[in-house]
């Protein structure tokens, strides 16, 4: 092997930049030790001892690193071949120091949101953003052509970040038609008057007056929306559904139903973008009946959770990432918490964490789930269904649809298939229940491990109430 003079630190820098350009996280300290060992033809044991690592761990981390580098560089990389591959490829590697062209994440990240045409609250920052490209493209297309778009998904799945990313994407886009964005966190606006006050203030209209005619004031707003082409983001709109009753899906906030209808039917050039953990049944119905509404479900990062986990300082060893991603359904917020726990308590060892079989239930996650269980109306049927699945054997992947129906029917002899399916639909729309079907087998109903664990602890009393019923 000829020595082309590429030093170790230069090689590490080159590999780091190559990984960054491919949207992968940069090398962690253990991986730098591995590259040094490969560069200096040192055995794993010696490198581990020198750097204070467990030799077994370093060897396994090496397998993950060589796999990642092989995929990223496009040549088979091992400890033995790394130096040759990098030296042979160094000119090509150096060309990739800049981010990839096209829809460049870092270009978007560089755009400061204060710089956007946003009034109201500040959208969340979206640094180190991963995945959701098809969803972002679909969201952009939807807000440009519809009057109302709803992004619905579990807490932490990335709804607010996606909406924020949309603003950056619109800003760079030639076909953007919005002149202004109003961003509102709905936590302070369960009441429509309070939201309208804020929107009127953002648009510098005459102050909204709750004692005056609502309809006339909303007409004024709609005239402005038709003139000015505004995107209004209502972030965390499940807040509005907190007082829901069986007969009234909006509870005491009925006028939101009316307000959304006005926007959908009368505002032609603006758009209402809603993010929510809870589905809005009336808006789902409006979409099905052909009105200018789109409902988008956000279901997790999928394959993009691999580079995301790498960015969180973990290394994929022995299929650990796949197991982790499956267990936490590629929810970025939960994976971030889990990654911190694995780093802080398991020395970065994903497999040991999985073998400990601890389903992470942090305070913030518990609060998010508690809020979700407190929102919306729970029918006895929905509670019983959740209860049956929560008490399944932990190792089981769920129960067949027909078996769940049979169990429920024993308790409730007049249960109809129609009501059973309606309960499944609503629980799935709330991201609380999962339907899985492979090509040949029956439809399987199951709970995500975190939901199951939460229900077994049952701090919200959902199951207890059901048992008492
Ligand atoms: N695509 C992504 N890439 C990287 N990190 C992400 C991504 N999406 C979300 N995250 C991370 O997950 C966290 C939660 O995301 P976000 O606040 O958008 O979730 P949410 O669905 O709006 O949750 P909630 O229902 O609680 O409001 C973010 O702070 C961010 O750290
Ligand atoms: Mg949010």
């Amino acid at each position: 092997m000829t020595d082309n003079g590429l030093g170790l630190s230069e090689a590490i820098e080159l590999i780091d930049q190559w990984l960054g350009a491919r949207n992968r996280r940069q090398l962690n300290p253990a991986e730098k030790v591995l590259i040094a060992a490969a560069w200096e033809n040192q055995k794993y044991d010696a490198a581990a001892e020198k750097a204070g690592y467990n030799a077994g761990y370093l060897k396994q981390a090496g397998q993950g690193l060589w796999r990642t580098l092989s995929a990223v560089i496009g040549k088979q990389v091992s400890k033995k071949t790394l130096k040759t591959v990098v030296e042979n490829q160094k000119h090509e590697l150096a060309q990739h120091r800049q981010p990839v062209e096209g829809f460049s994440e870092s270009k978007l990240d560089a755009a400061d949101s204060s710089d956007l045409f946003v009034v109201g609250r500040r959208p969340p920052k979206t640094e180190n953003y991963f995945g959701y490209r098809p969803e972002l493209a679909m969201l952009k297309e939807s807000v440009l052509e519809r009057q109302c778009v709803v992004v619905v998904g579990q807490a932490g799945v990335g709804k607010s970040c996606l909406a924020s990313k949309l603003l950056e994407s619109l800003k760079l886009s030639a076909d953007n038609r919005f002149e202004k964005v109003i961003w509102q966190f709905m936590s302070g606006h369960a009441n429509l008057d309070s939201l309208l006050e804020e929107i009127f203030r953002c648009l510098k209209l005459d102050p909204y007056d709750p004692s005056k005619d609502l309809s006339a004031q909303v007409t004024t707003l709609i005239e402005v929306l038709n003139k000015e082409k505004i995107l209004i983001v209502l972030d965390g709109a499940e807040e509005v559904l907190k007082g829901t009753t069986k007969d009234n899906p909006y509870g005491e906030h009925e006028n939101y139903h009316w307000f959304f209808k006005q926007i959908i039917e009368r505002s032609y050039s603006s758009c209402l973008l809603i993010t929510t953990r809870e589905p809005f049944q009336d808006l789902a119905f409006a979409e099905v009946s052909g009105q200018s509404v789109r409902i988008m479900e956000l279901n997790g990062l999928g394959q993009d959770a691999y580079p995301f986990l790498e960015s969180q300082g973990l290394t994929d060893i022995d299929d650990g990432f796949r197991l982790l991603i499956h267990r936490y359904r590629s929810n970025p917020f939960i994976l971030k918490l889990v990654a911190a726990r694995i780093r802080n308590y398991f020395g970065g060892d994903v497999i040991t964490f999985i073998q400990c079989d601890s389903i992470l239930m942090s305070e913030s996650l518990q609060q998010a789930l508690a809020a979700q269980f407190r929102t919306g109306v729970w029918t006895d049927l929905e509670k019983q269904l959740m209860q049956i699945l929560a008490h399944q054997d932990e190792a089981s992947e769920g129960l067949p649809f027909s078996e769940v129906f049979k169990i429920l029917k024993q308790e409730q002899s007049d249960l109809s298939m129609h009501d059973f399916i309606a309960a499944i639909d609503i629980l799935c729309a709330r991201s609380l229940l999962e339907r899985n079907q492979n090509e040949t087998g029956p439809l399987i109903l199951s709970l995500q491990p975190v939901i199951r664990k939460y229900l077994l602890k049952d701090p919200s009393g959902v199951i207890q109430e059901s048992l008492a019923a």
Side-chain angles (χ1 to χ4, degrees):
M1 188 173 57
T2 52
D3 188 353
N4 293 349
L6 192 61
L8 173 62
S9 54
E10 205 186 341
I12 289 178
E13 192 191 346
L14 213 55
I15 294 170
D16 242 352
Q17 286 175 344
W18 176 267
L19 289 168
R22 294 302 175 93
N23 219 355
R24 303 288 183 121
R25 66 157 176 79
Q26 297 191 310
L27 295 166
N28 63 32
E31 289 167 342
K32 288 184 182 166
V33 169
L34 282 160
I35 291 183
W39 219 253
E40 287 154 9
N41 201 13
Q42 208 174 26
K43 289 204 171 339
Y44 281 114
D45 290 357
E49 196 182 329
K50 192 170 152 201
Y53 283 92
N54 172 301
Y57 171 74
L58 205 61
K59 213 168 185 169
Q60 285 190 323
Q63 286 165 9
L65 177 63
W66 312 138
R67 242 194 334 267
T68 302
L69 292 179
S70 303
V72 166
I73 298 178
K75 298 257 181 236
Q76 193 59 38
V77 175
S78 68
K79 179 161 162 289
K80 270 206 185 110
T81 62
L82 177 79
K83 194 169 180 182
T84 315
V85 171
V86 171
E87 283 177 340
N88 288 344
Q89 300 275 118
K90 70 176 180 184
H91 297 298
E92 200 190 329
L93 291 174
Q95 281 169 15
H96 286 79
R97 287 185 172 189
Q98 295 307 315
V100 283
E101 275 306 304
F103 182 77
S104 157
E105 301 291 357
S106 34
K107 197 163 146 203
L108 292 184
D109 284 339
D112 180 0
S113 43
S114 64
D115 193 15
L116 296 167
F117 39 97
V118 180
V119 285
R121 303 302 172 93
R122 261 178 102 77
K125 289 241 179 230
T126 54
E127 280 143 8
N128 302 321
Y129 193 79
F130 287 81
Y132 286 144
R133 287 184 181 212
E135 290 84 351
L136 182 59
M138 155 84 98
L139 181 59
K140 189 167 147 200
E141 184 191 307
S142 304
V143 296
L144 290 173
E145 65 176 36
R146 311 250 169 156
Q147 264 62 72
C148 177
V149 180
V150 183
V151 179
V152 57
Q154 194 183 45
V157 76
K159 304 176 295 292
S160 306
C161 287
L162 182 71
S164 179
K165 202 80 192 159
L166 169 76
L167 306 192
E168 296 174 13
S169 172
L170 282 172
K171 193 188 170 212
L172 298 173
S173 163
D175 51 4
N176 173 36
R177 68 175 161 86
F178 297 109
E179 291 163 9
K180 201 179 278 174
V181 177
I182 299 179
W183 185 290
Q184 289 296 318
F185 292 122
M186 292 299 282
S187 51
H189 301 311
N191 183 319
L192 179 63
D193 286 335
S194 137
L195 176 71
L196 290 176
E197 263 171 37
E198 194 65 19
I199 292 178
F200 276 56
R201 200 182 56 72
C202 289
L203 293 175
K204 300 192 171 72
L205 302 178
D206 288 343
Y208 173 80
D209 184 346
S211 66
K212 288 194 183 149
D213 182 30
L214 172 67
S215 174
Q217 294 183 90
V218 167
T219 296
T220 308
L221 172 63
I222 287 176
E223 280 164 11
V224 175
L225 293 182
N226 281 336
K227 224 167 43 205
E228 286 197 27
K229 304 184 184 61
I230 297 167
L231 175 65
I232 301 180
V233 184
L234 306 184
D235 188 24
E238 66 275 358
E239 199 67 28
V240 170
L241 299 174
K242 279 202 171 139
T244 305
T245 64
K246 219 171 196 166
D247 305 322
N248 188 348
Y250 280 84
E252 59 200 87
H253 307 302
E254 172 81 46
N255 49 13
Y256 266 107
H257 167 69
W258 173 85
F259 175 63
F260 292 158
K261 199 160 175 290
Q262 299 304 306
I263 300 278
I264 293 165
E265 290 175 359
R266 297 170 57 199
S267 104
Y268 301 109
S269 52
S270 291
C271 176
L272 198 58
L273 170 59
I274 294 172
T275 80
T276 175
R277 296 174 187 169
E278 280 290 314
F280 282 72
Q281 299 299 339
D282 57 334
L283 298 178
F285 183 71
E287 182 191 35
V288 174
S289 53
Q291 295 187 48
S292 187
V293 177
R294 174 160 290 155
I295 312 289
M296 279 182 55
E297 281 178 22
L298 210 54
N299 291 316
L301 292 175
Q303 291 298 308
D304 293 310
Y306 283 84
F308 175 70
L309 283 172
E310 285 182 353
S311 79
Q312 298 300 308
L314 299 183
T315 304
D316 191 9
I317 293 169
D318 285 348
D319 214 17
F321 277 15
R322 190 183 61 77
L323 298 169
L324 209 56
I325 290 165
H326 177 65
R327 183 175 286 182
Y328 296 103
R329 304 303 193 258
S330 59
N331 178 311
F333 174 68
I334 303 181
L335 285 178
K336 218 166 154 177
L337 296 176
V338 168
R341 180 162 292 189
I342 295 175
R343 281 195 318 267
N344 297 337
Y345 292 93
F346 293 81
D349 188 341
V350 177
I351 291 294
T352 305
F353 172 78
I354 287 174
Q355 281 161 355
C356 281
D357 213 32
S358 66
I359 303 286
L360 181 97
M361 183 53 68
S362 71
E363 190 55 33
S364 47
L365 186 54
Q366 193 151 319
Q367 275 172 13
L369 287 173
Q372 185 159 12
F373 279 101
R374 277 196 305 271
T375 309
V377 181
W378 280 88
T379 64
D380 287 345
L381 177 58
E382 288 159 9
K383 288 181 205 166
Q384 280 167 357
L385 212 161
M386 296 291 280
Q387 181 205 346
I388 289 166
L389 293 171
H391 282 99
Q392 268 303 289
D393 176 7
E394 193 169 340
S396 110
E397 285 286 316
L399 278 178
F401 169 86
S402 54
E403 199 175 324
V404 180
F405 183 66
K406 216 159 77 191
I407 299 173
L408 284 166
K409 188 95 178 158
Q410 281 163 5
E411 296 178 20
Q412 215 177 307
S413 57
D414 60 346
L415 174 66
S416 70
M417 183 54 83
H418 175 271
D419 287 348
F420 178 54
I421 290 177
I424 292 173
D425 282 346
I426 184 75
L427 290 171
C428 288
R430 300 175 76 194
S431 312
L432 294 172
L433 183 69
E434 293 181 331
R435 277 180 282 228
N436 300 305
Q437 183 148 40
N438 57 28
E439 272 168 30
T440 47
L443 177 70
I444 301 290
L445 301 177
S446 61
L447 299 179
Q448 287 186 29
V450 279
I451 304 270
R452 178 172 180 275
K453 179 161 180 182
Y454 177 83
L455 283 175
L456 290 177
K457 287 176 82 178
D458 199 20
S460 65
V462 171
I463 290 195
Q464 291 309 321
E465 277 174 33
S466 169
L467 288 171

